[in-house]
Amino acid sequence: MSECTHDCSTCGSDCASRTEPQSLLKAHSPAARVGKVYGVVSGKGGVGKSMVTSQLAVLARRTGKAVGILDADITGPSIPKVFGVHDRAMGDERGMLPVVTRTGIQMISVNLLLDHETDPVLWRGPVIGGVVTQFWTDVIWDVDALFVDMPPGTGDVALSVFQSIPLDGIIIVASPQELVSMVVQKAVKMAEMMNIPIVGVVENMSYLLCPDCGKEIPLFGEGKTEAAAKAHGLKLLARMPLDPKLAALADAGDIESFEGSWLDPVIAALP
């Protein structure tokens, strides 16, 4: 057997480092403090993933925890808007500093780095994935819980997050339509392939609450999410309504003022 030279390009030794798969997980900055990390994912776009992320962060903050949001949806960032944050992210000799909302939620998003927040992000997949990784490795987080607002689908950026950020669990967001089974299945399979635990499923846009009688009106039909979740041994943790008040708060950048307890079971289920 050849003697190991610690240079794999010239080494002939069949050592463990050459035969065992190497982890791609990245460490956060030595100046940062990060407790638990949760990904909020969906198998497709348009299901309200960012809205769920925002409300989870607000609820966690209301429990007294230090909370952060890493906006990994680089080409469609909406987190700063719903929180009314328009400041530019700054840095010091240690790294990049997150912007802090009025209630103390830390956040980083590509919109906080652009000259104009309406500028499109015309970058290719590897560049976008690198930026997401830097949001984890270079930002000076000081949080008990960090929520990662994932990009929709199962493409390059989602893969970068799963591979580089040590997630403690993911929350899958779906909508009530018939295709929810396929959407949930895609997210579940990706999480299983990456060996990441699934906290549970949230169904968004489940119903509209009648302002006169208080009856729940299922605008998109009776939800299929619970059956899809059960098919994979998962719990449907919450059903979120279509609420015009929520939309108004998001448009006004005041999501931290929302009232509602529908996501409380998700907070209680977080490891």
Side-chain angles (χ1 to χ4, degrees):
M1 180 180 292
S2 302
E3 182 180 354
C4 182
T5 65
H6 302 289
D7 179 359
C8 289
S9 63
T10 62
C11 179
S13 177
D14 189 22
C15 60
S17 62
R18 293 173 64 90
T19 58
E20 294 180 1
Q22 300 299 300
S23 173
L24 299 176
L25 292 176
K26 306 290 185 182
H28 59 66
S29 166
R33 181 187 69 87
V34 180
K36 299 290 188 177
V37 185
Y38 307 109
V40 183
V41 310
S42 63
K44 65 181 291 294
V47 299
K49 171 181 48 58
S50 295
M51 176 63 79
V52 172
T53 303
S54 302
Q55 292 185 46
L56 287 175
V58 171
L59 289 173
R61 180 63 184 148
R62 288 176 182 173
T63 67
K65 291 182 178 179
V67 178
I69 301 177
L70 190 161
D71 188 356
D73 195 353
I74 301 297
T75 58
S78 58
I79 293 296
K81 167 67 176 175
V82 301
F83 281 89
V85 172
H86 305 285
D87 298 333
R88 293 288 297 276
M90 308 298 286
D92 59 22
E93 69 280 356
R94 302 174 301 160
M96 194 183 310
L97 300 174
V99 175
V100 181
T101 72
R102 65 177 179 84
T103 64
I105 296 173
Q106 302 169 39
M107 70 169 59
I108 196 68
S109 170
V110 72
N111 260 16
L112 305 177
L113 304 176
L114 301 174
D115 290 332
H116 305 286
E117 60 184 26
T118 56
D119 289 347
V121 177
L122 304 177
W123 301 339
R124 295 191 182 275
V127 176
I128 295 175
V131 171
V132 171
T133 301
Q134 284 188 290
F135 283 171
W136 167 249
T137 60
D138 295 1
V139 174
I140 313 303
W141 299 104
D142 183 14
V143 294
D144 301 309
L146 180 67
F147 293 93
V148 181
D149 184 20
M150 298 278 285
T154 55
D156 285 351
V157 184
L159 185 60
S160 293
V161 173
F162 278 124
Q163 289 183 325
S164 60
I165 300 178
L167 298 172
D168 292 287
I170 66 168
I171 300 101
I172 299 174
V173 182
S175 56
Q177 290 93 331
E178 284 283 357
L179 53 74
V180 68
S181 178
M182 179 189 68
V183 171
V184 170
Q185 189 172 12
K186 285 180 180 290
V188 168
K189 285 187 174 181
M190 187 171 191
E192 289 176 346
M193 290 172 65
M194 305 305 295
N195 198 30
I196 298 172
I198 301 172
V199 178
V201 181
V202 172
E203 183 180 82
N204 190 26
M205 300 180 284
S206 295
Y207 58 89
L208 177 68
L209 201 62
C210 176
D212 296 322
C213 67
K215 180 181 178 180
E216 293 184 4
I217 305 171
L219 291 182
F220 299 108
E222 294 296 334
K224 308 297 188 297
T225 308
E226 186 167 14
K230 285 183 177 179
H232 297 284
L234 303 174
K235 289 184 178 180
L236 176 62
L237 295 174
R239 296 170 61 246
M240 280 182 56
L242 271 168
D243 190 342
K245 293 180 181 179
L246 278 179
L249 288 173
D251 289 343
D254 191 24
I255 196 63
E256 288 164 296
S257 296
F258 94 89
E259 298 177 358
S261 58
W262 42 79
L263 289 179
D264 287 355
V266 184
I267 295 295
L270 293 177

